[in-house]
Amino acid sequence: TRVRKQAYVDELKRTLIQMMNERDESDQQVKNQGVAEERRIRHGVVNEFFHLQTIKESSIGRWNAVLEDSATLDISGRGMFRGVHEMMRQSQETQVFGDGSFSLQQCPQDNFLMEGSKAVMEWTVASANNEQTICGTCRVSFNPLSNKLSSVVINHNNM
């Protein structure tokens, strides 16, 4: 009886350990899926920001969809811009991406490095006829709850 009882307890322990391992693996899978989804969403937000910049978007609603109200934009050599309205005006008045005939060519997700609420990525824009390209890097910070941009720092290699 004692041997059977010990075997039963040992089997219960093995079952419990196996179930705990399966639960931990499942929790890790769910966490990884959440991080991957968050990464995909944030990459899309940065791409949309660049798209709005390149087309010189005039709809405040589209800017509000990707920017926090107090977001900042630091463009190498161009200055600091604060808030949605100022960034929108900046995109209309300054030519960060050439004369406005540029479109986003590359902002691949595999070049999007994210750690917590901060990310870094490479980008490339090109003129309609691909005669001129501008490339650089971008550092961004996100609001962890809304996934909107709270700060953007754009560096470009050529202009």
Side-chain angles (χ1 to χ4, degrees):
T1 303
R2 213 177 275 150
V3 171
R4 277 185 283 158
K5 183 178 179 182
Q6 185 61 44
Y8 177 71
V9 169
D10 290 344
E11 181 60 31
L12 283 177
K13 285 180 182 178
R14 279 192 296 279
T15 302
L16 178 60
I17 289 170
Q18 180 183 1
M19 290 173 72
M20 288 171 58
N21 288 339
E22 288 173 2
R23 181 201 64 203
D24 292 346
E25 288 174 13
S26 176
D27 289 350
Q28 187 62 41
Q29 279 183 330
V30 168
K31 183 179 177 182
N32 290 344
Q33 287 173 345
V35 168
E37 178 66 9
E38 182 178 66
R39 185 173 187 272
R40 186 190 65 74
I41 289 169
R42 289 179 175 180
H43 179 259
V45 167
V46 175
N47 272 336
E48 179 66 8
F49 173 79
F50 272 92
H51 177 70
L52 297 176
Q53 281 282 331
T54 57
I55 67 170
K56 300 179 179 288
E57 179 60 52
S58 61
S59 166
I60 190 74
R62 289 193 64 193
W63 287 97
N64 278 326
V66 297
L67 294 173
E68 287 291 313
D69 291 337
S70 60
T72 60
L73 170 62
D74 183 0
I75 303 171
S76 62
R78 301 290 175 118
M80 175 75 82
F81 304 91
R82 186 172 305 281
V84 176
H85 291 285
E86 203 170 297
M87 283 193 217
M88 192 170 95
R89 189 172 55 252
Q90 165 275 321
S91 79
Q92 299 289 319
E93 295 172 0
T94 62
Q95 296 181 353
V96 176
F97 301 117
D99 61 4
S101 63
F102 283 74
S103 61
L104 187 64
Q105 296 295 309
Q106 252 189 90
C107 244
Q109 191 167 349
D110 56 341
N111 287 345
F112 185 71
L113 307 174
M114 189 176 87
E115 180 67 38
S117 63
K118 298 186 183 301
V120 176
M121 67 188 292
E122 297 175 342
W123 54 268
T124 303
V125 295
S127 59
N129 55 11
N130 286 325
E131 287 181 6
Q132 185 182 9
T133 60
I134 303 169
C135 58
T137 58
C138 177
R139 286 189 334 244
V140 296
S141 296
F142 295 92
N143 177 314
L145 300 176
S146 68
N147 288 324
K148 290 182 178 184
L149 293 167
S150 57
S151 73
V152 180
V153 178
I154 296 176
N155 295 304
H156 46 80
N157 300 333
N158 54 353
M159 197 68 182

